[in-house]
Amino acid sequence: MTDTRTDLSKSQNAYLWLKERIASQEFTPGYRLVLGSIAGELDMSVVPVREAIRQLEAEGLVTFERNVGARVSMVDDTQYRHSMQALSILEGAATALAARQLTTDDIAIARAINGHMIETLDHFDPRAFTTLNREFHAVLFAKTANPRLLELVESEWGRLGNLRDSTFSFVPGRAQESVREHEGILSLIETGASLGDIEAAARRHRSATLDAYLTHEHPGESLGLLTL
Amino acid sequence: MTDTRTDLSKSQNAYLWLKERIASQEFTPGYRLVLGSIAGELDMSVVPVREAIRQLEAEGLVTFERNVGARVSMVDDTQYRHSMQALSILEGAATALAARQLTTDDIAIARAINGHMIETLDHFDPRAFTTLNREFHAVLFAKTANPRLLELVESEWGRLGNLRDSTFSFVPGRAQESVREHEGILSLIETGASLGDIEAAARRHRSATLDAYLTHEHPGESLGLLTL
DNA sequence: ATATCCGAAATCGTATACGATGAATGTGCG
DNA sequence: CGCACATTCATCGTATACGATTTCGGATAT
């Protein structure tokens, strides 16, 4: 069942394998990455595993402590907010930069996805909702004029380990609000609104998710949205 | 003369050493990083060197090709634009997020630095100008409410290898324009302008540097500034 | 002269080995 | 009973070794 691709180096395989485990929350923040065990699991020596972990470290997914080992990074609440805010900025810009490239077909696809999201609202499944949500935004980003922004967005999502995204969706009413905002962004794009307006809307959309979480979990507290 | 810090692991030392060489342009884009040579130079085996290079790869400073080796990443013009644009977005946001935290003292310091920049305009030294320029923005960012943004900015600067920054400054008239824009940003902050205005100004400031370069090197071409 | 093939050298990717360091456990003393 | 210290164990960090792959140069054929 090992889906290791032989056309990749072992260290690359280890890298992907670990990344997957972290993203899928099999390895949760704080989880200790023992070189020997992982190497055994993947049927390789420790050397490529170490390389893989170093790469993950450079991306911020893993923290090393000398002579102690590596563990999946803990993102405390503060870091979480900062990453989310950075994400809102990056995604907002990416959306705006893609807006002009989107065809009516693209918009139709996005709208269809949003339709599915609305359907799920009855028998609410946060995981499905989250998946659809990412698909929705993927469509919007797909034709961005700046692929580098996409890399940054992806990397930042990895950093967050999409860990709490599902819990986010649980904030009462936020899901409904979210799909409404999606529709709002789509119509802004359709009607040829200014890039500034589109960017602001897309940014607010992500910020609002975080803000809803903050005010819900820590009543009275708020991110203080970047007003753009 | 080896300033290797013994409190760091060898791989960390190799990482820093390489990063320095790349930043200082001793290793220019395309330069081949031969494991054995570097290991010899640093008096260590190849293993830590490989780890270091993997980290740099994750940051985008180095590119690996299987069974061939690693070389310092080539940033072609397109990638360069995209990174610069991403940078303008990140720096714009970082500036806005720091604006409200800046004291009159901070602004005075920034203004003093900008003053030095103006002085250098007579006997124009692009390297000194660039250094001062980064200092200026460092002051503005220093108190940002979002340190994660700073990390992203730093990382993106590393990616660009601050390679062509000096050539940028050579675009006729851009240096003068730049210091004027600095002053403009400072007064926006002083007068308590909206964060949106500040962000837009800061973003435009960086974009304009790129745009000046593009229209100068490739006449008729332009980035098409994100209008924010 | 140019192209093609072959062998040598260079370099990479990974396994194994081992000293070094930190954590865990046990032991003796207050 | 609890704490200081010694000992053992787990794990890390790095050196060395070696097969695998690519690159390079020269010999041969066209």
Side-chain angles (χ1 to χ4, degrees), chain A:
Chain A
M1 194 254 149
T2 50
D3 54 346
T4 55
R5 284 167 253 176
T6 51
D7 58 324
L8 261 52
S9 68
K10 294 203 174 184
S11 76
Q12 296 270 10
N13 270 318
Y15 171 78
L16 294 174
W17 188 86
L18 283 168
K19 202 164 181 174
E20 220 170 86
R21 301 297 151 124
I22 294 173
S24 71
Q25 301 182 45
E26 187 169 338
F27 295 165
T28 52
Y31 186 95
R32 185 154 172 223
L33 301 172
V34 180
L35 294 177
S37 314
I38 296 171
E41 188 89 28
L42 290 174
D43 193 38
M44 59 178 71
S45 85
V46 297
V47 179
V49 176
R50 277 184 65 87
E51 280 180 19
I53 292 181
R54 283 285 190 208
Q55 284 184 280
L56 293 167
E57 186 195 17
E59 294 179 41
L61 272 74
V62 158
T63 312
F64 245 101
E65 194 179 346
R66 185 169 190 185
N67 284 324
V68 173
R71 49 183 65 231
V72 179
S73 295
M74 309 283 281
V75 275
D76 62 39
D77 245 39
T78 305
Q79 289 179 292
Y80 194 75
R81 289 169 213 196
H82 292 156
S83 266
M84 278 295 274
Q85 192 177 38
L87 199 51
S88 76
I89 289 159
L90 292 168
E91 286 193 343
T95 303
L97 279 170
R100 294 285 185 264
Q101 326 295 326
L102 292 177
T103 66
T104 52
D105 279 356
D106 294 325
I107 302 212
I109 293 172
R111 190 165 270 134
I113 295 173
N114 201 38
H116 288 146
M117 295 179 77
I118 294 174
E119 288 171 23
T120 67
L121 287 180
D122 303 331
H123 40 83
F124 186 52
D125 173 6
R127 188 164 288 279
F129 189 85
T130 302
T131 305
L132 286 169
N133 188 48
R134 294 212 58 184
E135 279 177 30
F136 176 86
H137 288 287
V139 172
L140 290 195
F141 296 160
K143 303 202 175 171
T144 187
N146 190 334
R148 176 60 186 160
L149 274 181
L150 285 195
E151 289 179 28
L152 290 170
V153 166
E154 269 314 307
S155 153
E156 207 60 19
W157 269 114
R159 204 179 133 77
L160 293 174
N162 67 13
L163 174 58
R164 308 189 215 176
D165 203 30
S166 34
T167 63
F168 265 179
S169 308
F170 274 127
V171 175
R174 178 58 198 153
Q176 284 80 356
E177 214 174 274
S178 184
V179 295
R180 265 202 305 281
E181 287 169 6
H182 283 176
E183 180 50 38
I185 292 171
L186 287 181
S187 48
L188 279 180
I189 295 175
E190 269 179 331
T191 60
S194 80
L195 291 184
D197 287 349
I198 294 172
E199 177 170 11
R203 183 187 288 192
R204 241 184 278 116
H205 171 59
R206 167 94 28 239
S207 287
T209 303
L210 173 58
D211 219 38
Y213 167 75
L214 288 180
T215 53
H216 185 258
E217 293 293 310
H218 310 280
E221 198 171 346
S222 168
L223 175 65
L225 292 185
L226 194 53
T227 48
L228 192 65

Side-chain angles (χ1 to χ4, degrees), chain B residues 30-216:
Chain B
Y31 186 96
R32 183 150 175 227
L33 301 171
V34 180
L35 295 177
S37 314
I38 297 171
E41 188 89 26
L42 290 173
D43 194 38
M44 59 179 71
S45 86
V46 298
V47 178
V49 176
R50 278 184 64 88
E51 279 180 20
I53 291 182
R54 285 285 190 206
Q55 284 185 278
L56 293 168
E57 187 196 16
E59 293 180 41
L61 272 74
V62 159
T63 312
F64 247 100
E65 194 179 345
R66 186 170 188 186
N67 284 323
V68 173
R71 50 185 63 232
V72 178
S73 295
M74 308 281 280
V75 276
D76 62 37
D77 246 39
T78 304
Q79 290 180 289
Y80 193 75
R81 290 169 212 194
H82 293 156
S83 265
M84 278 295 274
Q85 192 177 38
L87 199 51
S88 75
I89 289 160
L90 292 168
E91 287 193 343
T95 304
L97 279 170
R100 294 283 186 265
Q101 327 294 326
L102 292 176
T103 66
T104 53
D105 278 356
D106 294 323
I107 302 212
I109 293 172
R111 189 163 271 135
I113 295 174
N114 202 38
H116 288 147
M117 294 179 78
I118 294 174
E119 288 171 23
T120 67
L121 287 181
D122 304 329
H123 40 81
F124 186 52
D125 173 7
R127 188 162 289 281
F129 189 86
T130 302
T131 305
L132 286 169
N133 187 50
R134 295 212 59 183
E135 279 178 30
F136 176 87
H137 289 286
V139 172
L140 291 196
F141 297 159
K143 302 204 173 167
T144 186
N146 189 336
R148 176 60 187 159
L149 274 181
L150 285 195
E151 289 179 28
L152 290 171
V153 166
E154 269 313 308
S155 153
E156 207 60 18
W157 269 114
R159 202 179 134 77
L160 293 174
N162 69 11
L163 174 58
R164 308 190 214 176
D165 203 30
S166 34
T167 65
F168 267 178
S169 309
F170 273 128
V171 175
R174 178 58 198 152
Q176 285 80 357
E177 214 173 275
S178 185
V179 295
R180 265 203 304 281
E181 287 168 7
H182 284 175
E183 179 50 38
I185 293 171
L186 287 181
S187 48
L188 279 179
I189 295 174
E190 268 179 332
T191 60
S194 80
L195 291 184
D197 287 348
I198 294 171
E199 177 171 11
R203 184 187 285 192
R204 240 184 280 114
H205 171 58
R206 168 94 28 237
S207 288
T209 303
L210 174 57
D211 221 37
Y213 167 74
L214 288 181
T215 54
H216 185 258

